[in-house]
Amino acid sequence: MKTGRRTQLTKFNVGGAKGYVIEFGDGYIRIFYDHAPLKKGDEVVEIAAPYTQTDIWNEELKCYNLQFLQIGDVLYIFYPKYMKRLCRYPNDDWRLEDWEIINGPWQNVNTDDVTVTASGSEGEIVLTASANLFVEKDVGRLLRLTMVNDETTPWQADFQVSKSAVFTSDGKYYEAMNEGTTGNIKPVHSVGTKSDGVVVWKYLHDGSGIVKISEFVSATEVKANVVSFLPKDMTTSYFEFGLIYPGENYPMSGCFYKNRLWLLIDTNDGLKACGSYSGDFNNFADKEYGEVVAEAAVTVPVNSQEYNQGRWIAAADALFVGTSSGEFVIDKANSSAAMAADNVAVAQISKIGSKPIAPIAINGHLLFVDRFGTSIRDLIYSYERDGYDPVDASILGRHLLKSSIVDWDWQDIPNKLLWAVLGDGRMLVFTFDANQQVAAMSQQYLSGAVESVAVIPSGTENRDDVWVTVKRKIDDTLKRYVEWIDEGTKSVFDDRVNSIEDAFEKREAEADYVRDNAFYLDSAIEFKRASGDMRTEIGGLEHLVGQTVGIAANGMQKPSQVVSKTGTVKVEETDTQVVVGLPICSQLMPQIVYLPNQSGAGLAEVQRIDHLNLFVYLSGGGQVGVNGNMCDILYYDSYETVGKVLKLKSGRVEIPWPAGHSLKTNWGADILIENKSIYPMQILAIVPSMSGS
């Protein structure tokens, strides 16, 4: 990380097993690819950006301000102060660009008696208002002027016209390119020239034109550049200002739905959801040559009885909006027709209120964070009430969410996990699979405080990688790092393993390969000795100076060491593969176990554990016990491992329960399982053998 200040991560996927993690910091953007900072030549790619620390982090709401939407090689960045997009060209060529909308969306039409007069039809012109209308912050704003009370002659067949005469047809304006008596083919074209059979007609405009204000002169006068041709000698009271411009809020959130780019904007007229022209994401034109068509842009007010500040807009099986006061759904009013300006409806779903964290869509479910950040809600359709219900999916783990969610992302492969960052630096892992009716939570403690998270395809393994920013105190200095959470074990085996044909030998080889490549240390580095390298000290640990680290060498656990001031630790010449990092203590404490009996569920009976059966997969470390009285899990008889590298176990392990671990006065049985070793421990089932009093 470039600075010691808080930064925000997001993902950028390019299909298949490739992805980038993008870090937004105070004045810069950095990109990570293939588990390392992206470089151009020998230089790390770094892009100057306008975002400050206060732009990135919302101290009042305790969450990040930036929201993102990727479409192809473009990442749209949403924040009310800027309209930017990050564009990927070649792999090492990324550019932060301004994003400009070419048409709309528009405020309501002027209803006052004020008129605006344009000095010309093309190029740079002057706009003059009949009363105070303009303000300095209008610079950069679009303005659409439309003719009213027009007395232009309508086109008709068999009518004598002169050259350069202007007529209207089908709501459009045309100029005669020759004189003559009109034919019988009505002009309806919207570009170039066409003949009605006799007279050739040139399309001029649809009775309106768009300008962009370039300079403020006074409250009644501005300079502007013509965006689309203005009718000549235009003076009108029918005009509309653009909704999106530098002087007011830019969109704070966006999504892609039904071939439109949807934006959520807090405006002076209230909260609005604006959908682009179908298939044209920079165009929010609500008309096509003066006509409202099905493809035209849509603007939907999102109103509530309470103060309604926008939080997010997201797409699932419908279009959803989260605000400070509730959640809304935007959908077709008539389900048999396409969504359009005349076929759209908005309805409030709930009054829960949302935190400004982009929701996560998972197979028809939309998960969002409530306004306090202390529950995960699942927006699902209820056939009973014919509407959407924001079900509390985290109700069984609410005690884990008291410090509030500040960031999250979804890891689909291999285990369908939602990784949420909490305000106190913990990570919450929410296993969510609606089809299997699974919604389970666990909390993760890293060796520092986690602040942001993003998930991308691994690129080297058959899984998604979880990337985090972590804050630690190293050598009495507060530092932040961008790291990824490795799965700890290999999911892809090399040719030495894959070439083994005997099933039993292959299983043993796979277990040894997983053990030798296990990566169960935090903020760790991996060292592989090259041929002829005889060093007994390895470096690259400057980020852990003064810390006590665990060491795995050739699949064996070595004594812990303190990292030297130069960032090194000692190793043996025979250590060919070494992993060095901060020790991790993984703990599992199931709910109190009760043994059902003939008289009931056993909840009120005094019971104790006789012994414990663990069913494990490729495991080699761990202890079991309770109340601080722990005993090692012995995966094999002691004579099998003396002087040998530990073999990983798959199957059943029986653990005798020593006296004092479970007393006869216990109401049910407590079990604590923990792993502080460098070896993996993957538990498939816990089967205690219990007896009553």
Side-chain angles (χ1 to χ4, degrees), residues 199-219:
V199 179
V200 175
W201 296 95
K202 176 185 177 182
Y203 171 78
L204 296 177
H205 52 77
D206 61 9
S208 68
I210 299 173
V211 300
K212 185 175 184 179
I213 298 173
S214 58
E215 182 181 338
F216 174 81
V217 179
S218 70

Side-chain angles (χ1 to χ4, degrees), residues 297-368:
V298 181
T299 297
V300 183
V302 183
N303 298 321
S304 174
Q305 292 178 340
E306 303 176 21
Y307 176 69
N308 210 30
Q309 189 174 26
R311 296 297 193 229
W312 50 260
I313 187 169
D317 57 343
L319 186 64
F320 297 97
V321 173
T323 76
S324 57
S325 65
E327 288 69 46
F328 300 77
V329 60
I330 299 173
D331 208 346
K332 297 180 289 186
N334 178 4
S335 60
S336 63
M339 179 181 283
D342 60 352
N343 186 35
V344 64
V346 57
Q348 186 162 1
I349 298 168
S350 72
K351 293 186 177 181
I352 293 170
S354 298
K355 204 170 182 180
I357 297 174
I360 295 176
I362 307 168
N363 299 328
H365 294 254
L366 189 75
L367 302 183
F368 72 94

Side-chain angles (χ1 to χ4, degrees), residues 70-86:
Q70 182 185 346
I71 301 179
D73 280 330
V74 177
L75 183 72
Y76 291 87
I77 307 163
F78 298 103
Y79 180 56
K81 284 174 61 176
Y82 308 103
M83 277 191 71
K84 299 285 185 180
R85 59 185 183 185
L86 184 63

Side-chain angles (χ1 to χ4, degrees), residues 266-417:
D266 277 318
T267 75
N268 291 331
D269 295 332
L271 183 65
K272 297 185 186 297
C274 302
S276 72
Y277 196 95
S278 181
D280 190 351
F281 308 140
N282 291 334
N283 183 4
F284 284 76
D286 57 355
K287 298 176 183 178
E288 183 176 297
Y289 303 109
E291 297 182 46
V292 177
V293 295
E295 297 83 3
V298 181
T299 297
V300 183
V302 183
N303 298 321
S304 174
Q305 292 178 340
E306 303 176 21
Y307 176 69
N308 210 30
Q309 189 174 26
R311 296 297 193 229
W312 50 260
I313 187 169
D317 57 343
L319 186 64
F320 297 97
V321 173
T323 76
S324 57
S325 65
E327 288 69 46
F328 300 77
V329 60
I330 299 173
D331 208 346
K332 297 180 289 186
N334 178 4
S335 60
S336 63
M339 179 181 283
D342 60 352
N343 186 35
V344 64
V346 57
Q348 186 162 1
I349 298 168
S350 72
K351 293 186 177 181
I352 293 170
S354 298
K355 204 170 182 180
I357 297 174
I360 295 176
I362 307 168
N363 299 328
H365 294 254
L366 189 75
L367 302 183
F368 72 94
V369 181
D370 76 7
R371 66 181 181 275
F372 300 113
T374 55
S375 72
I376 298 172
R377 301 300 180 119
D378 180 12
L379 269 177
I380 57 176
Y381 188 80
S382 169
Y383 289 95
E384 289 80 7
R385 60 184 294 264
D386 191 23
Y388 291 90
D389 275 335
V391 176
D392 189 348
S394 59
I395 192 167
L396 297 179
R398 292 285 294 276
H399 59 290
L400 301 177
L401 292 167
K402 292 180 180 178
S403 63
S404 184
I405 296 173
V406 302
D407 195 16
W408 67 0
D409 205 354
W410 174 254
Q411 183 188 26
D412 194 81
I413 299 173
N415 294 318
K416 297 187 180 300
L417 304 177

